[in-house]
């Protein structure tokens, strides 16, 4: 068809005459698709069914009770329900029966994945079904494997020992001949990490690596290891020059948690949790890198899921009306059973004793309660009943001397038949004295909003920020007889957080992540004087060093995109130095292990501190003189290098001048012959512009 007689303007439309005219979307011959299904649809590929070529997802359960036909259905129901908790069972379990319909004492169960079968073996092998029957659970594939074991035993060869060097070498470091310098890590937005030694007058860069991590870095509790995060797992670094010590393969890991003694490491992968993978949570042996046990992840998870006893001998997790305590290194349930506690909401371990504290919510006429139990005996040490409870939070003092339970309580209005109506909240602080007989409890009631709470790590004091803006800061002490006494009250303080020194006595009051307030106050709680007040605009973090001598205030790029960096302060509030770093994200002090000194020895040192101070003053003067000497030598070296460079440039300038004179046809002795250089100017062009236009 033509338009206006123009044959070039052809607007003909093709007509579909059948499937032979349909467009062909097939790839050309030899085409290679470089995008994998995992890259295109990562979430769906995680839950894609996988065809198993082995029987590693089938288990054999032995020592099942041998019962008659009248009890078979009941037995099947109990056993199937027990094993269904470990994963999805593909088909009905097969129970071996004899000709009369009696069970033979074993069964076969097929799970959806081998990981679920492994979880069932770890959890239920040795499970006490009743007094006379301990279940034995094994992989079906192991039967064939063990039946083909060679009778000629070959002694296994021991693995060669790998010497990682001194993993605590930073504690022995003596830059400038002075001991006790701490280290800290600095993380930038692109994954670049710096390790510094906090020397004086300037920090010493110990290590620097680009893209050391893909998210953050974290120190282990005693500072032995540095964790870096990657897509396929995490890595531990340590020792001299921060060598890689161990790698843990756990795809998509985002959260980690060390046991207090650094024997075990727990990792969590939200990717695997979304796919309901039984290895969403894994416990690792830190030294060997071996996988010790794995767990499913609940939908409403709070981290850490597993909480450790202070000696690494036990860990516990909470479930629906159940509290499960596991023992190490077997990673099995303590006494092969969990504690059924209807209404249990949360729990925590004492930081110094194997004592668990948990709280239970109210149920109709049954009050809420906080209970302390001893592990492994499970003896109840103390129970405190509570009424009209909305929520509870537990705060242990670092030394384990006290436990404070913050109780959010409703104000009761009236009771209507079967319903009780509440309105408003007030707060009780129940303080348990863990070192006294029968664990006495004292209470403190606050009717204002609680902004922050913190124990003095070493001592008998705690601090509160409460009330509406501007809030009040109150300090309380525990006197003899477990009596809570108000020690000091500061009204109208512009702060949102408080941070105690690790050694006690000193506390920092700060207003963080605020565009309006930026003050930092340093308080000495021995006499409650404000030793100094500083300012750090838009500060997001406060970090005490392990000794309690220095404090860092920082502005993280994660919260603000400008003025990133950190300030270093003394414990009394003297600003020592400022560091402005583009795209600075995080600063973490390297923790120290627990001191080997006894409490008596520490008290003796504090008592005779003045006697030692004179020696420390001499060492400080020697350090400053050595630092000054080093600075003078450094400046002298820089000056000598500058003189050499200057001579090189002067020689090069003279050589170029000689070449230019030669090109102009002037002899080198032109100055001696009375010649003078003359500059002449010539008018080349003149332009006139009318400014009125």
């Amino acid at each position: 068809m033509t338009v206006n007689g123009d044959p070039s303007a052809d607007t003909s439309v093709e007509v579909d005459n059948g499937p032979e005219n349909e467009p062909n979307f097939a790839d050309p011959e030899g085409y290679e698709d470089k995008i994998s299904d995992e890259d295109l649809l990562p979430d769906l590929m995680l839950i894609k069914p996988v065809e198993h070529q082995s029987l590693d997802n089938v288990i054999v359960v032995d020592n099942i009770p041998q019962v008659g036909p009248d009890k078979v259905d009941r037995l099947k129901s109990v056993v199937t329900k027990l094993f269904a908790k470990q994963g999805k069972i593909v088909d009905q379990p097969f129970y071996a029966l004899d000709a009369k319909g009696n069970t033979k004492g074993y069964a076969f169960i097929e799970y959806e994945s081998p990981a679920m079968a492994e979880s069932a073996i770890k959890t239920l092998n040795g499970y006490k079904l009743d007094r006379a029957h301990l279940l034995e659970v094994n992989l079906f594939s192991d039967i064939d494997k063990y039946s083909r074991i060679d009778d000629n035993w070959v002694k296994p060869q021991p693995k060669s020992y790998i010497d990682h060097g001194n993993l605590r070498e930073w504690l022995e470091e003596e830059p400038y001949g002075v001991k006790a310098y701490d280290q800290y890590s600095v993380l930038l937005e692109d994954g670049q990490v710096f390790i510094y030694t906090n020397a004086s007058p300037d920090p010493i860069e110990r290590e620097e690596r680009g893209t050391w991590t893909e998210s953050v870095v974290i120190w282990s509790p005693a500072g032995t290891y540095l964790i870096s995060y990657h897509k396929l797992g995490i890595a531990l670094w340590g020792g001299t020059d921060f060598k890689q010590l161990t790698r843990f393969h756990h795809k998509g890991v985002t959260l980690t948690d060390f046991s207090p003694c650094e024997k075990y490491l727990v990792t969590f992968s939200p990717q695997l949790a979304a796919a309901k993978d039984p290895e969403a949570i894994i416990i690792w042996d830190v030294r060997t890198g071996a996988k010790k046990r794995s767990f499913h992840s609940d939908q409403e998870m709070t981290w850490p899921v597993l909480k450790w006893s202070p000696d690494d001998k036990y860990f516990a997790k909470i479930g629906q009306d159940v509290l499960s305590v596991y023992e190490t290194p077997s990673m099995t349930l303590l006494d092969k059973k969990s504690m059924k506690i209807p209404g249990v909401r949360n729990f925590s371990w004492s930081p110094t004793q194997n004592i668990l504290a948990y709280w239970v919510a109210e149920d109709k006429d049954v009050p809420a309660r906080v209970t302390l139990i001893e592990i492994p005996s499970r003896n109840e040490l103390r129970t405190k009943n509570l009424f009209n409870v909305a929520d509870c939070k537990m705060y242990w003092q670092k030394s384990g001397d006290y436990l404070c339970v913050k109780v959010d309580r409703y104000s009761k209005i009236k009771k209507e038949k079967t319903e009780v109506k509440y309105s408003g909240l007030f707060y009780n602080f129940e303080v348990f004295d863990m070192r006294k007989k029968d664990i006495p409890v004292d209470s403190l009631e606050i009717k204002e909003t609680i902004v922050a709470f913190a124990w003095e790590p070493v001592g008998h004091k705690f601090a509160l920020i409460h009330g509406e803006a501007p809030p009040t800061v109150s300090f309380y002490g525990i006197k003899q007889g477990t009596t809570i006494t108000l020690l000091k009250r500061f009204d109208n303080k512009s702060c949102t957080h408080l941070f105690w020194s690790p050694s006690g006595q000193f506390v920092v009051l700060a207003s963080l992540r605020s565009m309006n307030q930026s003050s930092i106050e340093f308080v000495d709680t021995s006499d409650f004087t404000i030793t100094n007040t500083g300012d750090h605009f838009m500060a997001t973090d406060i970090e005490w060093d392990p000794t309690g001598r220095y404090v860092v205030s920082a502005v993280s790029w994660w919260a603000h995109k400008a003025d990133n960096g950190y300030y270093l302060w003394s414990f009394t509030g003297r600003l020592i130095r400022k560091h402005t770093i583009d795209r600075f994200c995080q600063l973490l002090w390297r923790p120290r292990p627990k001191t080997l000194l006894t409490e008596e020895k520490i008290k003796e040192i504090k008592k005779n501190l003045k006697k030692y101070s004179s020696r420390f003053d001499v060492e400080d003067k020697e350090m400053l003189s050595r630092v000054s000497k080093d600075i003078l030598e450094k400046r002298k070296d820089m000056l000598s290098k500058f003189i050499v460079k200057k001579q090189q440039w002067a020689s090069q300038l003279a050589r170029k001048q000689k070449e230019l004179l030669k090109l102009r046809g002037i002899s080198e002795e032109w100055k001696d012959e009375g010649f003078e250089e003359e500059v002449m100017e010539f008018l080349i062009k003149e332009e006139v512009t009318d400014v009125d236009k």
Side-chain angles (χ1 to χ4, degrees), residues 468-485:
E468 302 297 332
T472 299
V473 181
S474 299
F475 291 89
Y476 292 87
I478 311 297
K479 301 296 184 180
Q480 293 182 353
T482 320
T483 302
I484 302 175
T485 305

Side-chain angles (χ1 to χ4, degrees), residues 272-437:
L272 300 182
K276 299 182 179 180
D277 194 299
E279 293 195 344
I281 301 171
I282 299 178
I283 303 176
W284 307 86
D285 187 296
V286 172
R287 289 189 177 273
T288 64
K291 186 187 300 182
K292 302 296 291 184
R293 178 155 187 177
S294 60
F295 292 91
H296 286 84
S297 174
D298 299 330
Q299 292 182 352
E300 297 180 359
M301 185 197 74
T302 55
W303 189 258
V305 177
L306 309 178
K307 299 180 182 180
W308 295 86
S309 65
D311 57 4
D312 284 12
K313 289 184 178 180
Y314 309 97
F315 66 91
K317 65 187 293 289
I318 197 170
Q320 183 68 34
D321 297 333
V322 67
L323 183 60
S324 302
V325 180
Y326 299 80
E327 55 186 345
T328 62
S330 64
M331 303 294 167
T332 57
L333 277 170
L334 180 64
D335 298 332
K336 305 296 182 182
K337 60 181 179 181
S338 300
M339 294 182 287
K340 293 184 179 180
I341 309 173
V344 63
R345 292 293 181 86
N346 203 353
F347 74 99
S348 62
W349 288 91
S350 164
T352 55
Q353 304 177 78
N354 287 341
I355 295 176
L356 267 176
Y358 66 85
W359 79 277
V360 177
E362 287 183 89
D363 183 17
K364 298 180 180 178
D365 294 331
V366 179
R369 70 182 187 275
V370 175
T371 304
L372 300 174
I373 61 172
E374 189 179 40
I375 299 297
S377 65
R378 306 193 186 193
N379 294 330
E380 287 194 7
L381 303 177
R382 187 70 162 85
T383 298
K384 174 73 174 179
N385 291 332
L386 305 168
F387 298 91
N388 306 331
V389 176
D391 192 16
C392 285
K393 290 185 179 179
M394 291 175 282
Y395 302 91
W396 284 95
Q397 189 221 27
K398 185 178 179 180
S399 301
D401 297 336
Y402 303 100
L403 167 65
C404 178
V405 180
K406 173 179 169 287
V407 185
D408 300 357
R409 286 182 165 173
Y410 293 114
S411 300
K412 185 185 292 187
I413 299 180
K414 59 181 179 178
K415 187 174 183 179
E416 298 179 355
K417 295 182 180 179
T418 60
E419 183 180 2
V420 179
K421 294 185 178 181
Y422 301 96
S423 69
L425 284 175
F426 67 98
Y427 307 91
N428 269 34
F429 292 87
E430 308 289 339
V431 178
F432 294 72
D433 191 334
M434 302 300 298
R435 304 301 182 186
K436 291 189 177 180
K437 185 179 179 180

Side-chain angles (χ1 to χ4, degrees), residues 136-351:
E136 294 182 2
V137 187
N138 296 280
L139 285 175
F140 181 79
S141 57
D142 286 345
I143 298 176
D144 180 59
K145 180 176 69 174
Y146 294 134
S147 65
R148 292 187 286 105
I149 293 179
D150 192 349
D151 294 334
N152 298 321
W153 181 74
V154 179
K155 184 178 180 180
Q157 296 296 323
K159 293 183 178 180
S160 58
Y161 173 72
I162 302 175
D163 186 7
H164 292 302
N166 184 6
L167 299 183
R168 300 283 175 86
E169 56 85 24
W170 90 94
L171 296 174
E172 302 175 357
E173 190 178 29
E174 298 185 8
Y176 304 122
V178 180
K179 300 179 181 179
Y181 277 130
D182 286 290
Q183 294 183 350
Y184 58 88
S185 63
V186 171
L187 172 68
L188 305 188
E189 183 269 336
D190 58 358
Q192 189 175 13
V193 180
F194 299 85
I195 308 294
Y196 289 102
T197 297
N198 187 35
S200 180
D202 295 310
I204 301 172
E205 183 180 307
R206 181 68 191 279
E207 194 73 24
E208 184 272 324
R209 296 181 192 176
T211 61
W212 199 343
T213 182
E214 295 180 14
S215 56
V216 297
V217 291
I218 296 177
W219 295 103
S220 60
T224 309
Y225 308 102
L226 181 70
I227 303 178
S228 62
Y229 290 75
H230 310 275
K231 292 181 180 179
L232 297 180
I234 62 171
L236 297 190
W237 310 79
T240 306
D241 300 328
F242 288 93
K243 297 178 181 178
Q244 187 181 104
L245 305 178
T246 319
R247 289 184 298 174
F248 301 97
H249 182 82
H250 197 186
K251 187 176 182 181
V253 60
T254 58
L255 295 174
T256 58
D257 181 48
F258 268 95
S259 61
C261 300
E262 300 183 340
K263 292 181 180 178
Y264 304 101
L265 175 66
V266 184
T267 59
F268 168 70
S269 170
Q271 288 186 14
L272 300 182
K276 299 182 179 180
D277 194 299
E279 293 195 344
I281 301 171
I282 299 178
I283 303 176
W284 307 86
D285 187 296
V286 172
R287 289 189 177 273
T288 64
K291 186 187 300 182
K292 302 296 291 184
R293 178 155 187 177
S294 60
F295 292 91
H296 286 84
S297 174
D298 299 330
Q299 292 182 352
E300 297 180 359
M301 185 197 74
T302 55
W303 189 258
V305 177
L306 309 178
K307 299 180 182 180
W308 295 86
S309 65
D311 57 4
D312 284 12
K313 289 184 178 180
Y314 309 97
F315 66 91
K317 65 187 293 289
I318 197 170
Q320 183 68 34
D321 297 333
V322 67
L323 183 60
S324 302
V325 180
Y326 299 80
E327 55 186 345
T328 62
S330 64
M331 303 294 167
T332 57
L333 277 170
L334 180 64
D335 298 332
K336 305 296 182 182
K337 60 181 179 181
S338 300
M339 294 182 287
K340 293 184 179 180
I341 309 173
V344 63
R345 292 293 181 86
N346 203 353
F347 74 99
S348 62
W349 288 91
S350 164

